[in-house]
Amino acid sequence: MPLLENPVLTKFFSNKIESSHEEWRAYLLKVADIFAMFDGEIYDRASIEEHFETISGRSLDSGRDTSNYRDEFGAYGSYLGVFRLKRVAEQWRIELSRLARQFLCSAEPDVSSFCTLQLALFQYPNGMGQALQRNQTLRMQDNIKKNTKNEILHNLRVAPFRLTCQCMVALNQIDSVPLSDIELSYKVLFKLVNDSSVNTTYNPSYTLLSEVMKGYALGKEPSWLTKSSLSKFKRNFHIFEQTGLMKRTSNGIKLSQEGISSFRKICVIAEIDTYFSAFEGLSGLSTNEFDIRFEQILRSQAWDRYYDGANLPLYVIQEIAGIVDIDPGYGNANTPDSSSLPVSTEAFPTLTQYVYHNRAQYAINDSRMVDLQAAIVTREKANCEHERIVQMLNANLLLLNAEPRNNIFIDLYADIGELHFLFEVKSTTERNYISQIRKGISQLYEYRFRLNQPLAIPCLVLQNKPKEPWVIDYLTRDRGISVFWLVDEVRFECPTCCANTFKPFESFIHVECTD
């Protein structure tokens, strides 16, 4: 077995991003929002740092890099690809990645899809290795340069997350291992990325991977695979869990329940053939030519332009995120688009009893279902706060023996006596509540029509009470839509004009006090 004498890759990702913390997803959104505020603006690190000061607790690991938010400016740009610095007319400007704009800074963020698509592109060797100094000049980082040169000279071509998916597909399709039993040990992954029979191509065959992994079970462990080296190698796998498709064990990586039910996503990632090719051909150059060309590539920021999940083929983005409402600039134009995929023949899904499932990990994963509206609605329902409100409303309706039901479009539908109620829930913030209310209005009308329930009472459920009085007046008087909102963790309130409408729900929807 052609294992290297000394390992070239000793880690899979960066220890500068502490994604193992429960609050990390919320922190990532805050980081993205701050850089979004400066999107297109001249890079002013001091001003950005001032905004980071407003993040409570500084960062999830306040004992590390306590000055200047080095990791937020560095690792979140280079390793996660949230943003990049772009040279425009002799000035450096902040440029939010297209994927971050779509999945982190939109009204309904989707951290799982963002991490999945970014990790699917991450590779070794990569074009990182330069940092912008406060004097606006680029500095080459010697340690990263040294490692990247070594990877190029060993003809290394490894996409860590993609390789993990490929191994899982190989175990399932070649070795017939049940999805629930698949586990890739850290030892096996450590050896694979330092095995010249595997690590010289981004897409090793499943048959090869199966054979190599079987060989490891019989062969002798390399001398460099020590307890300390393995500990260093495996400590950054927590970022894989943020995709929602995988989970860590003490021994290695397994499929999560979502990964099992959406194994098609694993297969799609495994087949991706997009990679950073700027270093191809460098290993054959003389030392002097190599150094010149290598530094030219780093300074060109070609990696920054490559490392944006929006550059992946459109069908990959659709499969992973369950959306088709993607900006025209997204995806590779030379790959299949939604028009080439079969469309669901069901005009409007049947209402079924509402059953809780974690929509934070939910997406349309059946390629047959590419109805535009279904995709948009499904992505919106992925918001955790949205799901929490739906659960609360459902629980209260059950106490009234209302038997709430739903489908892909309708949050909740319930009959109370002779009355029929249609509920559309909208998670809202100070920035998006008007646009969210507009969506809710159009959806309620459309869903009532498609459900063929013209007498159903349309009800808009908001995370927060609208600030402007005219909004409630417009909804109730002009549009004929009843509205109520969340007051705290457990209580709903409605305006006095909706008191009669919500009389059947007076046990949990209270009329607001206007005194």
Side-chain angles (χ1 to χ4, degrees), residues 217-273:
L218 303 175
K220 183 180 178 181
E221 301 284 28
S223 59
W224 44 260
L225 208 163
T226 62
K227 185 176 181 179
S228 61
S229 65
L230 184 62
S231 177
K232 177 183 178 183
F233 176 77
K234 73 179 186 180
R235 67 178 177 172
N236 306 129
F237 279 86
H238 46 73
I239 191 68
F240 283 22
E241 293 183 312
Q242 297 300 336
T243 67
L245 300 174
M246 299 179 186
K247 61 182 180 180
R248 289 177 298 164
T249 68
S250 58
N251 182 58
I253 300 293
K254 292 177 67 73
L255 287 167
S256 66
Q257 191 57 49
E258 170 68 13
I260 293 172
S261 61
S262 302
F263 191 67
R264 178 182 170 87
K265 294 182 182 180
I266 300 291
C267 296
V268 168
I269 296 166
E271 293 291 335
I272 291 173
D273 195 25

Side-chain angles (χ1 to χ4, degrees), residues 106-281:
S106 58
E108 303 292 339
D110 185 349
V111 172
S112 293
S113 293
F114 175 83
C115 291
T116 301
L117 293 166
Q118 286 300 109
L119 287 174
L121 277 182
F122 187 77
Q123 69 172 64
Y124 294 101
N126 53 60
M128 297 187 295
Q130 63 283 340
L132 189 63
Q133 306 277 65
R134 287 188 178 269
N135 63 2
Q136 302 292 292
T137 60
L138 283 179
R139 176 180 64 85
M140 298 295 109
Q141 297 173 298
D142 292 335
N143 59 333
I144 297 179
K145 281 177 59 179
K146 179 181 177 181
N147 292 338
T148 303
K149 284 183 178 181
N150 196 27
E151 293 158 12
I152 296 171
L153 293 173
H154 277 87
N155 292 309
L156 203 75
R157 295 176 180 85
V158 174
F161 183 62
R162 201 183 308 177
L163 177 62
T164 306
C165 293
Q166 290 163 347
C167 289
M168 289 179 165
V169 175
L171 289 171
N172 178 251
Q173 296 187 2
I174 305 299
D175 300 332
S176 301
V177 179
L179 298 181
S180 59
D181 294 339
I182 290 176
E183 183 171 26
L184 284 169
S185 73
Y186 300 117
K187 281 187 177 181
V188 165
L189 287 168
F190 196 6
K191 287 187 282 189
L192 282 170
V193 298
N194 291 288
D195 187 327
S196 60
S197 66
V198 172
N199 67 10
T200 57
T201 174
Y202 294 109
N203 294 88
S205 71
Y206 300 141
T207 300
L208 172 63
L209 288 172
S210 172
E211 293 174 352
V212 170
M213 287 189 286
K214 288 175 183 175
Y216 291 156
L218 303 175
K220 183 180 178 181
E221 301 284 28
S223 59
W224 44 260
L225 208 163
T226 62
K227 185 176 181 179
S228 61
S229 65
L230 184 62
S231 177
K232 177 183 178 183
F233 176 77
K234 73 179 186 180
R235 67 178 177 172
N236 306 129
F237 279 86
H238 46 73
I239 191 68
F240 283 22
E241 293 183 312
Q242 297 300 336
T243 67
L245 300 174
M246 299 179 186
K247 61 182 180 180
R248 289 177 298 164
T249 68
S250 58
N251 182 58
I253 300 293
K254 292 177 67 73
L255 287 167
S256 66
Q257 191 57 49
E258 170 68 13
I260 293 172
S261 61
S262 302
F263 191 67
R264 178 182 170 87
K265 294 182 182 180
I266 300 291
C267 296
V268 168
I269 296 166
E271 293 291 335
I272 291 173
D273 195 25
T274 304
Y275 58 91
F276 183 67
S277 59
F279 293 131
E280 297 296 320

Side-chain angles (χ1 to χ4, degrees), residues 319-459:
E319 190 65 47
I320 299 305
I323 64 171
V324 292
D325 58 322
I326 298 173
D327 293 340
Y330 275 58
N332 188 327
N334 297 319
T335 56
D337 60 21
S338 60
S339 64
S340 67
L341 299 173
V343 180
S344 171
T345 58
E346 187 174 23
F348 198 62
T350 304
L351 284 169
T352 58
Q353 183 178 1
Y354 176 84
V355 178
Y356 167 70
H357 55 272
N358 182 7
R359 278 204 182 109
Q361 305 297 340
Y362 179 76
I364 298 175
N365 50 48
D366 184 345
S367 62
R368 295 172 300 174
M369 194 170 192
V370 293
D371 180 284
L372 175 60
Q373 183 65 10
I376 295 172
V377 172
T378 299
R379 183 172 185 272
E380 184 174 335
K381 292 181 189 298
N383 180 276
C384 295
E385 189 62 25
H386 174 282
E387 183 60 30
R388 186 177 75 86
I389 297 172
V390 173
Q391 289 181 56
M392 288 176 56
L393 182 56
N394 175 69
N396 282 292
L397 291 172
L398 287 174
L399 291 175
L400 298 177
N401 299 315
E403 297 184 2
R405 290 172 287 162
N406 75 335
N407 63 23
I408 187 64
F409 295 107
I410 296 171
D411 282 329
L412 285 174
Y413 174 90
D415 295 323
I416 300 290
E418 299 298 317
L419 300 176
H420 315 293
F421 292 87
L422 187 59
F423 301 94
E424 176 62 27
V425 175
K426 287 297 175 188
S427 55
T428 54
T429 66
E430 289 187 2
R431 292 191 301 174
N432 73 358
Y433 76 95
I434 291 294
S435 63
Q436 286 290 81
I437 287 171
R438 286 171 179 160
K439 290 180 188 176
I441 292 171
S442 62
Q443 288 171 306
L444 282 167
Y445 288 148
E446 177 188 339
Y447 302 165
R448 186 171 64 175
F449 173 79
R450 296 178 73 178
L451 191 60
N452 194 26
Q453 288 283 355
L455 298 181
I457 299 170
C459 304

Side-chain angles (χ1 to χ4, degrees), residues 62-81:
S62 57
R64 173 174 49 80
D65 293 331
T66 55
S67 64
N68 302 328
Y69 301 90
R70 187 174 68 189
D71 295 345
E72 287 80 357
F73 282 96
Y76 281 82
S78 56
Y79 278 96
L80 270 186

